[in-house]
């Protein structure tokens, strides 16, 4: 009986560590790292190529969220958040059309420290600074999508 208890305890410990690893691998930041460098593809929403909104949908789908296809429609989801109050996991929106009239044409995922992940049409999936000379004047708004519980599970736990 003592041997059985020891084996059962060992099995429980092994399963606990396995489950912990699976959770860590499904975190938002790990999911982003896994696809960094993926080429840009207009209309793309798979690891063979992403456009900006397809990339965001792909990452959020891994967390159980179904977002609209277009970045302008994604900008209507969740709740508005001030730039000064951004937390990792928030969506950030830009007007990259050239007219800079506040229309939404690009989306990324805020990852903290003034940086965001997105599918760049010239570089594929990358991390850029919100304060870069290109993105700073094109910033329009941000939206908080994740519930507090999902933030704790997918973002906070991975830091």
């Amino acid at each position: 009986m003592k041997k059985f208890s020891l084996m059962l305890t060992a099995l429980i410990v092994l399963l606990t560590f396995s489950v912990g690893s699976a959770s860590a691998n499904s975190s938002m930041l790990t999911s982003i790292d896994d696809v960094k460098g993926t080429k840009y593809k207009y209309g793309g929403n798979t690891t063979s190529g992403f456009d900006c909104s397809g990339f965001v949908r792909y990452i959020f789908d891994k967390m159980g969220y179904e977002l609209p296809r277009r970045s302008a429609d994604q900008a209507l989801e969740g709740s508005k958040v001030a730039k000064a109050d951004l937390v990792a996991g928030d969506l950030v929106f830009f007007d990259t059309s050239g007219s800079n009239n506040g229309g939404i044409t690009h989306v990324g995922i805020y990852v903290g420290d003034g940086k965001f992940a997105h599918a760049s049409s010239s570089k594929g999936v990358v991390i850029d600074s919100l304060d870069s000379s290109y993105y700073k004047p094109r910033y329009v708004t941000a939206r908080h999508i994740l519930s507090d519980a999902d933030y704790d599970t997918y973002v906070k736990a991975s830091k």
Side-chain angles (χ1 to χ4, degrees):
M1 187 67 175
K2 193 174 187 181
K3 196 174 190 179
F4 176 75
S5 294
L6 184 59
M7 287 176 61
L8 184 59
T9 302
L11 180 62
I12 290 170
V13 169
L14 180 65
L15 289 174
T16 300
F17 283 115
S18 295
V19 169
S21 297
S23 294
N25 288 337
S26 65
S27 74
M28 185 194 75
L29 299 174
T30 300
S31 295
I32 291 170
D33 282 341
D34 288 347
V35 296
K36 265 201 293 194
T38 300
K39 69 179 181 173
Y40 180 88
K41 180 180 178 187
Y42 181 78
N45 59 5
T46 69
T47 55
S48 65
F50 291 110
D51 67 7
C52 65
S53 58
F55 163 70
V56 167
R57 284 186 78 198
Y58 176 85
I59 298 299
F60 273 74
D61 183 62
K62 290 188 163 296
M63 297 182 288
Y65 286 81
E66 187 175 328
L67 293 176
R69 178 68 184 103
R70 296 177 342 110
S71 57
D73 295 329
Q74 291 175 357
L76 302 173
E77 298 292 309
S79 58
K80 188 172 183 168
V81 60
K83 191 174 186 181
D85 297 327
L86 287 170
V87 295
D90 288 343
L91 299 186
V92 288
F93 297 92
F94 305 88
D95 179 353
T96 58
S97 66
S99 60
N100 204 19
N101 63 5
I104 305 296
T105 59
H106 191 65
V107 61
I109 303 169
Y110 187 71
V111 295
D113 298 324
K115 298 184 184 320
F116 71 105
H118 65 113
S120 160
S121 59
S122 60
K123 301 179 277 185
V125 177
V126 294
I127 307 274
D128 274 318
S129 172
L130 285 175
D131 287 333
S132 74
S133 60
Y134 183 79
Y135 287 105
K136 186 174 184 174
R138 291 168 174 81
Y139 179 88
V140 176
T141 191
R143 305 296 283 190
H144 187 74
I145 305 293
L146 296 173
S147 70
D148 291 343
D150 285 343
Y151 174 81
D152 288 345
T153 299
Y154 296 111
V155 180
K156 193 174 181 183
S158 66
K159 287 187 176 185

